[in-house]
Amino acid sequence: MRTFRARRAIAATAVALAALLGAGGWAADTQTAVTGPPPGSAAWTADTASGLRPPDPATATPAQVAAFFAGLTPAQQDALAARHPLVVGNLDGAPVRLRYRANTLALTAERDRELARATDPALTPQDHQAARTRAERYRTLLDGGRQILAFDPRGRGQVAEVYGNLAAARRSAVIVPGSDIDLLSFDRAGDPYGSPAGMARALYGATDGQSAVIAWAGYTTPVGLGPDAVTEDLARAGATRLTRLLDGLAVSTRPQAPPTVFCHSYGSVVCGLARPNPAQASGLVVLGSPGMGVDSAADLDPRVPLWATTRNGSDWIGDVPNVRLFGLGHGADPTDPGFGARPLPATGSHGHSGYFTPDTASLAAYAAIALGRG
């Protein structure tokens, strides 16, 4: 019997991989997770002009970062942000308004650098086009007073944006996206409710602005449906970064409660592996989930409520068997009643990324939960 079960599990894994291949095609390339301290950290730690030694971004906790900035005057804080924008803008625990300022400076510098690359005769036409594309992306992030909480140009680029007043809002929420999200796809005009920025805008509007919402593209996501999408390496790296974000919000903002975390697709694996506690999150909501990297809700912190959105009939993720074997797959289906999550409706939604579309039952439920009415 044991041999039979093992063979059945192996067969199920093969079926899962086949389903993934059929759903979107195999992406042969794998991604290297962006980890570690932000660019410029060495110069930051050596800067003692304020009379204090700055916390090492590689080892300091968000609470230690917050304590350091609390010992500085506003002028000293602004001076550090001007000298080290990429560090200050990505330091979880730093004052939110200072991170906005630092990231404006960092985006401006990176835009100017890419514009220079776009006319560099030593580069190829392909390099010129890539530089123009990035420069335009940076320009759009600088337009209209956008509140950029994090910006890292390394790799495919990472970014986080805040909708609403994070310092004054009584409630807050974080959107954790799935595959194919990076600096360039963070806010796709052709998919208004399928990108993290679009999801955040929709949720912010559905709460009538009563909940601040963070669109967080702060980890290296899989590209396509390939090796990275069916394994957890990128999710583990993302879980570490998500944990730091949540710890940073706990010491740099003063909401009525910790944020509700909404986890889409592969992002639900990130959330499952992060296992937030009540000081970090008021609740977890998964949608379009392939699994959370755990066997059941009992493997998560029981003090943090978990909701799972019923899949709509056109969400292809429902065709992927929920298995976890030999490092492949993401485990049990959170929408299965036996998993232990609270169910949420999805009436009116369509496709894998349509759950935040206005006038859907899912978005109405998300707004209620984000406002603490779950």
Side-chain angles (χ1 to χ4, degrees), residues 123-198:
L123 300 178
T124 68
Q126 292 81 4
D127 293 332
H128 292 163
Q129 181 56 50
R132 286 193 293 270
T133 298
R134 281 227 165 187
E136 176 61 15
R137 170 79 285 200
Y138 299 149
R139 183 195 66 77
T140 62
L141 291 172
L142 286 165
D143 279 354
R146 297 177 73 165
Q147 300 177 135
I148 305 303
L149 186 66
F151 163 65
D152 190 334
R154 293 179 294 174
R156 288 157 46 215
Q158 299 179 3
V159 63
E161 182 176 11
V162 176
Y163 294 84
N165 189 333
L166 191 58
R170 295 174 58 210
R171 308 286 303 197
S172 63
V174 176
I175 307 292
V176 180
S179 297
D180 298 309
I181 297 298
D182 53 32
L183 186 72
L184 296 180
S185 59
F186 171 75
D187 191 359
R188 297 186 294 253
D191 188 15
Y193 306 113
S195 67

Side-chain angles (χ1 to χ4, degrees), residues 213-226:
V213 185
I214 301 171
W216 183 74
Y219 77 105
T220 303
T221 67
V223 172
L225 295 168

Side-chain angles (χ1 to χ4, degrees), residues 101-112:
R101 171 174 165 74
N103 285 315
T104 295
L105 296 173
L107 280 162
T108 301
E110 288 297 313
R111 180 202 59 192
D112 294 345

